[in-house]
Amino acid sequence: MNLARLAAEAEERGQPVRAGLIGAGKFGSMFLSQVPTIRGLHVTAIADLDPDRARTACRATGWDDARIAATAFVEDGAALAARDDVDVVIEATGNPRAGIVHARAAIAAGKHVVMVNVEADVLVGPVLAAEAEAAGVVYSMAYGDQPALVAEMVDWARATGFEVAAAGKGTKYLPGYHDVTPDDVWAHYGLTAEEAARAGMNPQMFNSFLDGTKSAIEMVAIANACGLNVPSAGLAFPPCGVDDLAHVLRPREVGGQLEGRGIAETVSSLERDGRPVFRDLRWGVYVVIEAPNDYAAACFAQYGLPTDATGRFASMYKPFHLIGLELSVSVLSAALRRESTGRAREMRGTVAAVAKRDLKAGEVLDGEGGYTVWGKALPLSAARNALPIGLAHGVALTRDVARGEVLRMDDAAFEGDAVAAMYGGLVGA
């Protein structure tokens, strides 16, 4: 409740929080747009493979020439992490391998890390978090993105004495979306390819939102951070609006659709026949809580919480998330409170690569949102040898794989691959 005051006081002392941003894409640009109006927060350096693109992003988000001139623009994220004028490194590339390299460089240099790159976090987040803790720095999820917002809601629920029945987010989902490729993604967003190109929208990135991969990544990240369970058969994406969260997202034993308590799940904004869900949660996050006693359940009703028919399960939700516009909360929290806004603690699950079509030996996988695979959330116990979506990029298959089959680690050659070895050691593959 006092983060803005702490930041303002840091400014007055002449010791503002100095952030370095790696990756000036959409998420990074949204963050940059807020920086000029936040007292006590300065962005001193920006790393991007195309520094001129980063400068353009700064201008597009309202930075004046003086602010741009005072900022260092570099190509190398690891070099940014080593700079003396950076206190907090923001990793926003979306590339899991690059994210791991940058995070480790930042930790080695004694810098806090805000990991926007959920792809890297879900792959080896617990390792990075442990390395950060050993080095005396903070490793944090990115506030504004759904995993950190859900982690906050889960923490609130537990700190107030409620059991968490379920937590997660909403999205637009139909089963057929798993097969969508970048060639036909824009029709599902009501856009033409030309309109998307003019807006600078990346078809592979937006396809990962649609084909279920991004939801899987975010739900596993939430499970790993909050000690929740990943559904045994993968995400079910039940259609559900905000009025029905407590009814749908409770255990089957009491009439709900979940296999148990403490589940990370994504709800769909579409019914299975394509009709829109009434009062959907497509852009938001939720937590379903269970009253520990009759008195608390009675309070649910007295204070207007939406509950199930028993009155013992209730929901809280946030209808929107503002991603990069809210990122400064993580940056300031890490530097001024030395506290994360959520962090990976254990491997509860993984995101397995599943073939979108029949694949042949020798074919090169193209990763998240591409033409070859989509990502399925699975509990670790059911997927110890599964090939994670974060490693299913730029590697050739060693055997034929049928459509719908979960790929295995030994389906691709990873000899001498440090990231693959790190992941394998973490999950015991």
Side-chain angles (χ1 to χ4, degrees):
M1 299 292 284
N2 62 354
L3 197 55
R5 178 182 62 79
L6 290 175
E9 290 174 351
E11 181 80 25
E12 291 167 5
R13 293 194 304 270
Q15 296 176 317
V17 175
R18 302 169 301 174
L21 172 66
I22 306 176
K26 179 62 174 176
F27 203 116
S29 293
M30 293 179 77
F31 167 69
L32 293 172
S33 75
Q34 300 301 101
V35 169
T37 56
I38 301 173
R39 290 192 65 199
L41 175 60
H42 296 182
V43 171
T44 52
I46 301 174
D48 196 276
L49 294 176
D50 184 350
D52 285 339
R53 184 185 78 143
R55 291 186 182 89
T56 299
C58 290
R59 294 188 187 94
T61 57
W63 282 32
D64 59 28
D65 290 341
R67 186 176 293 272
I68 292 172
T71 304
F73 292 86
V74 300
E75 294 183 17
D76 188 345
L80 177 145
R83 291 177 63 95
D84 291 336
D85 60 352
V86 170
D87 304 313
V88 182
V89 173
I90 304 165
E91 216 299 332
T93 65
N95 182 312
R97 290 177 177 276
I100 293 165
V101 169
H102 295 151
R104 294 189 113 178
I107 293 166
K111 311 300 172 64
H112 305 301
V113 178
V114 175
M115 185 59 90
V116 177
N117 191 334
V118 191
E119 291 79 1
D121 182 74
V122 81
L123 193 61
V124 295
V127 171
L128 298 175
E131 290 179 355
E133 186 172 7
V137 296
V138 174
Y139 174 87
S140 178
M141 287 177 165
Y143 198 85
D145 214 0
Q146 288 138 314
L149 298 181
V150 173
E152 179 183 50
M153 298 183 84
V154 169
D155 187 61
W156 162 83
R158 290 171 174 163
T160 49
F162 297 110
E163 183 173 0
V164 175
K169 67 164 195 170
T171 196
K172 179 182 179 181
Y173 171 83
L174 289 173
Y177 290 170
H178 293 310
D179 296 329
V180 177
T181 73
D183 287 343
D184 49 1
V185 64
W186 298 127
H188 298 285
Y189 285 99
L191 297 169
T192 66
E194 293 73 22
E195 289 170 335
R198 284 197 297 271
M201 299 166 73
N202 182 320
Q204 188 156 343
M205 179 183 71
F206 276 82
N207 194 43
S208 76
F209 301 154
L210 191 73
D211 72 6
T213 301
K214 193 70 169 181
S215 291
I217 289 171
E218 292 181 334
M219 291 304 100
V220 171
I222 290 166
N224 291 348
C226 300
L228 297 176
N229 295 317
V230 179
S232 60
L235 300 179
F237 296 95
C240 185
V242 296
D243 300 318
D244 298 321
L245 289 167
H247 175 75
V248 173
L249 297 163
R250 55 182 177 156
R252 291 175 192 144
E253 65 187 58
V254 292
Q257 296 188 25
L258 301 183
E259 58 190 341
R261 288 169 169 79
I263 303 292
E265 183 60 271
T266 298
V267 296
S268 176
S269 64
L270 295 176
E271 301 286 356
R272 288 298 188 257
D273 61 5
R275 290 178 297 115
V277 164
F278 179 65
R279 282 172 43 82
D280 69 79
L281 193 66
R282 179 178 176 184
W283 307 107
V285 295
Y286 75 89
V287 64
V288 173
I289 57 178
E290 183 177 1
N293 51 57
D294 292 340
Y295 187 90
C299 291
F300 287 169
Q302 293 162 7
Y303 288 89
L305 269 72
T307 68
D308 72 330
T310 71
R312 298 196 69 92
F313 292 86
S315 62
M316 295 286 278
Y317 65 90
K318 187 174 184 177
F320 300 100
H321 70 295
L322 297 178
I323 56 172
L325 299 182
E326 302 178 83
L327 179 60
S328 56
V329 172
S330 292
V331 178
L332 296 175
S333 181
L336 300 174
R337 293 176 175 160
R338 302 187 70 82
E339 186 175 83
S340 72
T341 50
R343 51 157 278 192
R345 297 186 178 277
E346 58 179 319
M347 289 294 284
R348 306 282 294 192
T350 191
V351 182
V354 180
K356 284 189 173 183
R357 55 175 174 79
D358 291 342
L359 302 172
K360 298 295 184 182
E363 281 197 65
V364 176
L365 302 178
D366 58 357
E368 180 185 352
Y371 295 85
T372 57
V373 291
W374 61 276
K376 181 176 184 177
L378 289 173
L380 204 59
S381 59
R384 286 197 178 273
N385 195 40
L387 175 66
I389 194 75
L391 295 178
H393 188 276
V395 293
L397 286 176
T398 59
R399 69 176 180 98
D400 294 350
V401 179
R403 177 183 178 274
E405 186 177 350
V406 174
L407 279 70
R408 304 189 305 259
M409 283 289 288
D410 52 9
D411 289 336
F414 289 112
E415 185 177 353
D417 188 313
V419 175
M422 188 190 311
Y423 172 78
L426 185 58
V427 303

